[in-house]
Amino acid sequence: MTDDPSPTNDPNPTNDPGPTGDLLALKTETETALAAAADLRAWDAVRVSVLGRGGKLTALLRDLGKAPPERRRERGIALNQLRDALTASIEARRLALEDAALAARLAAERVDPTLPPRPAPAGLIHPISRTIEEIAAIFGTMGCTVAEGPDVETDWHNFSALNIPSHHPARADQDTFYLPARGNLPPPVLRTQTSPVQIRTMLAQAPPIRVITIGRTYRADHDATHSPMFHQCEGLIIDRDLTLGHLKGCLIDFLRSYFGIADLPVRFRSSYFPFTEPSMEVDIGWSRKTGELGNGSDWLEILGSGMVHPRVLANCGIDPREWQGFAWGMGVERIAMLKHGINDLRPFYESDIRWLRHYGFSALSPTMLHEGV
Ligand code: DAH
C-alpha cells in the first residue's frame, strides 16, 4: 500500500516526515475544511474536529509526551504554533461567516422607505385635525405647549373667573348649553369658549406660561357659519414686561405662517372682551369679491385678543404688578374654511365621504414647518 509507508522499513531516511510533517498536513486539511464551511454550523463542526475535546490537534497535544525525547522540544514548539495559527484561522472564518450572514439578512430584509405603502391607507386626515396640527406646529416654534381642559365646565371657570359679569349676554340661555344644577352650585355649562383653560392653566402652574389650547366649544347656534359644536384655539402667554408689541408680533407671525402669505396685511382694531384690557380684534386683508386672502382692499375679522385683564390674573393668584400676559382666541373651522376655500361649515360634521375625499389630507404628508404648513 503506497499511501501507508512504514517508517521502520523505509529504505530512504529523507522520507522521514520529521517531527512536524504531520502538523503541516493537519494545517492544510483544516484550512481547506474551513474554506468549505458555508455556514456557522459547518464551521463549528470543523472547529470541534480540530480543537474540541476529541479533536485532532487536542489529540496531538496530548500525545506530545509519547514523542521521542530528542524530538519533543521541537514538536512542542511546532504544536503551539499550529494551535495559535489554527485558532486564528478558525476565528477569522467565524467573523467572515457572521459578516456574510449579516449582509445576507440585511439584503433580505431591505426596506425602501420611499416606496408608497401597499395597500395605500384608506383614510384621510379631517381638515379640522389638520388645522389643529398646523396651529400647534406654528405656536410650538414659539415655545407653546398644548394645554387641555374639560368640555363640561363650571360657571366660575367659564365665566366668573374670566371677569364675565352675571348680566353678560353670553350667559343667556339662548347662547349657552346649561346642564342640570347640582345642589346650590350654579349649573355646569358646556364650555362656550376655550378661555376657561387659561384659568385652569394659571391655577395649575406658576408663570412664566406659554400655552395654547385647542378643543371643542359649544353654543346654541346653527346656520351655514355657526354650529352648536365647533373648535377654538386659545393662546396664553404670561411673563414679565410683556406689551402689546409682543402680542402683535406673535399673532402677525402666526397668521402669515398659517396662511402661507409672507406679506399678509394684518390690522389690530380696538375692541372689548371682559377678560382682556386693552382688547383687540385682528383682521386680515382680503378681497370680499374674489375671496382671495392677502390681496384686495377689504378686511376680514379673524380672531380676538388682548392683554390679560389684571383682575383675571388676580383671580388665579398671579400678582398683576409683577406679571403681564396676553391672550387670543380664534375659531378653528373659520381659519380652515378661509385657507381652503370652504364656504359652508355644516359638512365638517356630516361625515359625507365625498366631501372628506375632497378636503381631507393624506396621512402620509404630516404637518411640517420646513415645507410650509
Ligand atoms: N373667548 C373669545 C370668544 O370666544 C375669544 C377670545 C378673545 C379669547 C380674546 C381670548 C382673548 O383669549 O384674549 O369669542
Side-chain angles (χ1 to χ4, degrees):
M1 293 210 279
T2 51
D3 57 349
D4 184 21
S6 164
T8 45
N9 52 17
D10 188 335
N12 182 356
T14 57
N15 263 1
D16 179 357
T20 59
D22 55 336
L23 305 193
L24 191 62
L26 177 57
K27 186 162 188 279
T28 316
E29 178 194 324
T30 305
E31 280 166 358
T32 312
L34 278 176
D39 55 27
L40 286 166
R41 256 181 94 144
W43 165 86
D44 199 49
V46 177
R47 182 185 68 80
V48 169
S49 77
V50 178
L51 298 179
R53 205 183 263 253
K56 291 173 194 158
L57 185 67
T58 315
L60 291 175
L61 283 163
R62 199 176 328 134
D63 290 346
L64 180 60
K66 293 187 199 154
E70 69 280 10
R71 288 188 167 185
R72 208 172 289 158
R73 195 183 119 79
E74 194 187 339
R75 188 166 171 82
I77 292 170
L79 271 172
N80 277 332
Q81 282 171 349
L82 178 62
R83 188 187 46 205
D84 290 349
L86 289 184
T87 307
S89 332
I90 287 171
E91 181 61 6
R93 184 66 180 149
R94 181 180 69 85
L95 293 175
L97 286 170
E98 281 180 356
D99 279 355
L102 180 63
R105 206 174 136 199
L106 288 176
E109 295 177 3
R110 194 184 156 140
V111 173
D112 181 351
T114 64
L115 283 178
R118 287 151 293 181
L124 292 169
I125 305 290
H126 192 284
I128 292 179
S129 304
R130 169 77 187 198
T131 304
I132 287 173
E133 282 171 17
E134 294 181 4
I135 295 171
I138 297 169
F139 285 119
T141 65
M142 302 185 196
C144 294
T145 53
V146 177
E148 289 186 326
D151 288 18
V152 177
E153 266 299 3
T154 68
D155 182 272
W156 187 78
H157 287 93
N158 194 77
F159 295 124
S160 308
L162 287 159
N163 200 32
I164 299 176
S166 50
H167 57 267
H168 196 277
R171 290 185 179 234
D173 282 348
Q174 67 265 33
D175 284 341
T176 305
F177 291 112
Y178 285 95
L179 279 77
R182 289 232 189 121
N184 290 333
L185 294 172
V189 298
L190 288 181
R191 65 179 178 193
T192 58
Q193 49 189 355
T194 40
S195 311
V197 188
Q198 290 189 26
I199 302 299
R200 292 184 174 275
T201 306
M202 288 189 278
L203 290 173
Q205 70 188 73
I209 293 172
R210 289 184 185 198
V211 291
I212 58 165
T213 172
I214 314 174
R216 293 195 183 102
T217 46
Y218 306 83
R219 285 181 203 172
D221 237 349
H222 203 192
D223 59 36
T225 53
H226 296 90
S227 149
M229 188 284 298
F230 60 106
H231 297 75
Q232 278 193 345
C233 166
E234 188 103 6
L236 174 70
I237 313 285
I238 307 274
D239 214 323
R240 292 188 170 91
D241 305 321
L242 285 184
T243 69
L244 274 181
H246 296 104
L247 180 160
K248 290 172 80 174
C250 172
L251 293 178
I252 291 172
D253 270 3
F254 166 74
L255 292 169
R256 291 186 172 162
S257 319
Y258 173 76
F259 287 110
I261 303 173
D263 57 356
L264 180 71
V266 180
R267 179 174 80 167
F268 291 80
R269 186 165 37 79
S270 76
S271 180
Y272 170 77
F273 297 103
F275 30 84
T276 46
E277 180 59 35
S279 304
M280 293 190 298
E281 262 161 313
V282 184
D283 303 334
I284 58 173
W286 79 319
S287 157
R288 189 178 304 280
K289 217 161 117 205
T290 63
E292 192 191 343
L293 298 178
N295 243 332
S297 50
D298 302 308
W299 292 102
L300 182 65
E301 181 201 321
I302 199 107
L303 58 86
S305 67
M307 303 303 289
V308 179
H309 196 296
R311 214 175 288 151
V312 173
L313 293 174
N315 285 344
C316 300
I318 293 178
D319 184 351
R321 285 162 305 184
E322 190 183 348
W323 301 96
Q324 291 85 49
F326 63 86
W328 68 90
M330 65 189 137
V332 174
E333 285 83 347
R334 179 162 167 77
I335 63 166
M337 287 166 79
L338 287 169
K339 181 165 175 173
H340 304 296
I342 304 170
N343 50 25
D344 191 345
L345 177 67
R346 290 166 291 202
F348 274 92
Y349 317 109
E350 283 169 357
S351 300
D352 182 333
I353 199 76
R354 294 161 302 175
W355 187 89
L356 292 169
R357 280 213 186 102
H358 184 79
Y359 288 110
F361 291 84
S362 165
L364 297 173
S365 57
T367 306
M368 297 224 233
L369 282 173
H370 70 269
E371 290 176 352
V373 288

